[in-house]
């Protein structure tokens, strides 16, 4: 005798209930609060706000910056600094920062920091002097500490801006002569300069550069970056000299990057003589044009090696 077929609908409904119970729960755990919040008056109308990345950086999608209780900007991670503009001179402000994850959960706010903007000097068009000798030292594998001699300005220096290859990566107050830069990568050559800034937003010329090379990571091998790069300008030309990396084989090809982009490939038909090599670049841009230059070598395996330190040069007439 044939048994009656059991109804399918209840079984399917039960299966749906089981599957629904296996669904991923919604993320309601907020990220950790950022730390190390600082606020420095960069001018009479702006404040530079900076903080350390939240510990669980992989879950952080953005940072929200608050002035008092008002959110003034949101930055996508991994950015962790911003200039807040449009402020009033000789006015006190309080800033906090919160981290936000991809699910929209907000961290607790940092402890507030207070800052007062200086008096405005609208007729000041004279920049500060360039900061004195900049020195640098690695602080572990991924950070560096920079120090410098103070600049001078008739109205007073309000901030020092630290640049890593033409990109500002840090700012400290006008009374500071030290900065710690984080987020460095292993096996990389970095070039740092410092500029002084006054209350009228005038910036000094760059300090002399300081180069720092982080150690290679495990199994990274020796550095493949050219060393000792120098750049000097003459009318209509820029003369470059450097030492190729020791790759175990002659290096006969280098790539020149100008203002962050490949400009030309330098190829010697034979092995260049001596440990140091040179190249003269013809320029047609008007005097005063600024170039940022760095070099990398073609390695025996056909790939490109690491970049040299960067040099900045100004075209002369």
């Amino acid at each position: 005798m044939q048994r009656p077929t059991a109804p399918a609908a209840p079984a399917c409904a039960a299966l749906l209930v089981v599957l629904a119970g296996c669904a991923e729960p919604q993320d309601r755990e907020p990220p950790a609060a950022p730390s190390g919040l600082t606020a420095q008056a960069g001018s009479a109308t702006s404040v530079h706000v900076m903080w350390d990345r939240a510990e669980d950086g992989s879950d952080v999608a953005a940072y929200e910056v608050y002035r008092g209780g008002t959110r003034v900007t949101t930055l996508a991670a991994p950015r962790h600094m911003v200039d807040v503009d449009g402020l009033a001179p000789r006015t006190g402000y309080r800033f906090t920062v919160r981290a936000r994850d991809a699910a929209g959960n907000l961290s607790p706010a940092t402890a507030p920091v207070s800052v007062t903007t200086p008096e405005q000097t609208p007729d000041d068009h004279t920049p500060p002097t360039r900061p004195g000798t900049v020195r640098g030292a690695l602080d572990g594998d991924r950070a560096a500490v920079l120090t410098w001699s103070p600049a001078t300005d008739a109205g007073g220096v309000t901030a020092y801006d630290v640049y890593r290859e033409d990109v500002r990566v840090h700012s400290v107050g006008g009374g500071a002569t030290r900065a710690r830069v984080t987020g460095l990568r292993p096996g990389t050559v970095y070039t740092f300069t410092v500029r002084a800034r006054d209350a009228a937003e005038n910036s000094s010329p760059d300090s002399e550069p300081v180069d720092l090379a982080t150690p290679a990571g495990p199994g990274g091998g020796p550095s493949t970056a050219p060393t000792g790069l120098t750049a000097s300008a003459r009318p209509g030309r820029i003369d470059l000299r450097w030492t190729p990396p020791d790759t175990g084989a002659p290096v006969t090809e280098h790539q020149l990057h100008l203002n962050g982009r490949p400009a030309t490939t330098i190829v010697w038909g034979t092995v260049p003589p001596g440990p140091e090599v040179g190249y003269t670049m013809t320029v047609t841009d008007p005097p005063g044009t600024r170039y940022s230059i760095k070099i990398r070598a073609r390695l025996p395996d056909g790939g490109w090696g690491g970049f040299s330190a960067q040099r900045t040069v100004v075209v002369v007439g």
Side-chain angles (χ1 to χ4, degrees), residues 7-317:
C12 292
L15 179 60
L16 288 174
V17 170
V18 171
L19 290 176
C22 296
E24 278 192 24
Q26 184 178 357
D27 178 11
R28 299 185 184 278
E29 184 69 23
S35 59
L37 179 65
T38 61
Q40 302 286 347
S43 72
T45 59
S46 69
V47 168
H48 182 75
V49 182
M50 186 170 181
W51 57 94
D52 296 331
R53 297 175 179 87
E55 287 185 13
D56 192 1
S58 60
D59 289 341
V60 174
Y63 294 101
E64 297 185 356
V65 180
Y66 292 80
R67 184 183 69 230
T70 303
R71 185 177 65 187
V72 293
T73 189
T74 299
L75 302 175
R79 290 185 60 190
H80 60 119
M81 55 185 250
V82 66
D83 284 316
V84 179
D85 300 312
L87 305 180
R90 300 182 63 182
T91 303
Y93 294 95
R94 286 162 61 91
F95 291 92
T96 55
V97 175
R98 303 176 74 179
R100 176 160 52 82
D101 64 18
N105 300 306
L106 281 173
S107 77
T110 61
V113 295
S114 300
V115 61
T116 299
T117 52
E119 186 175 0
Q120 193 165 26
T121 53
D123 297 329
D124 179 9
H125 299 290
T126 303
T129 62
R130 68 194 302 180
T133 304
V134 179
R135 293 182 173 86
L138 294 177
D139 184 10
D141 294 340
R142 296 182 178 272
V145 174
L146 307 175
T147 60
W148 57 88
S149 300
T152 60
D153 183 81
V157 174
T158 58
Y160 289 98
D161 298 321
V162 177
Y163 287 79
R164 186 175 67 209
E165 287 138 24
D166 299 328
V167 176
R168 189 176 67 175
V169 295
H170 197 34
S171 290
V172 296
T177 56
R178 179 185 184 275
R180 185 174 185 269
V181 180
T182 60
L184 307 184
R185 298 186 303 272
T188 306
V189 178
Y190 291 97
T191 301
F192 296 98
T193 55
V194 179
R195 298 178 197 169
R197 188 154 39 99
D198 64 19
E201 292 280 17
N202 300 306
S203 287
S204 75
D206 288 339
S207 69
E208 289 295 326
V210 60
D211 302 328
L212 291 173
T214 54
S223 174
T224 59
T227 58
L229 177 64
T230 63
S232 56
R234 290 190 284 168
R237 60 192 291 180
I238 295 173
D239 296 323
L240 306 174
R241 295 199 70 80
W242 68 93
T243 300
D246 184 1
T247 63
V251 176
T252 61
E253 186 175 345
H254 289 80
Q255 188 181 62
L256 185 152
H257 278 233
L258 197 64
N259 298 335
R261 297 183 177 181
T264 189
T265 300
I266 305 162
V267 181
W268 286 273
T270 59
V271 178
E276 191 178 63
V277 297
Y279 175 75
T280 296
M281 182 175 71
T282 302
V283 294
T284 58
D285 289 312
T289 302
R290 175 187 171 104
Y291 288 129
S292 296
I293 299 170
K294 54 187 176 181
I295 298 283
R296 61 180 179 175
R298 177 82 75 180
L299 304 181
D301 65 4
W304 292 108
F307 280 109
S308 69
Q310 181 171 285
R311 293 293 173 257
T312 299
V313 65
V314 177
V315 175
V316 298

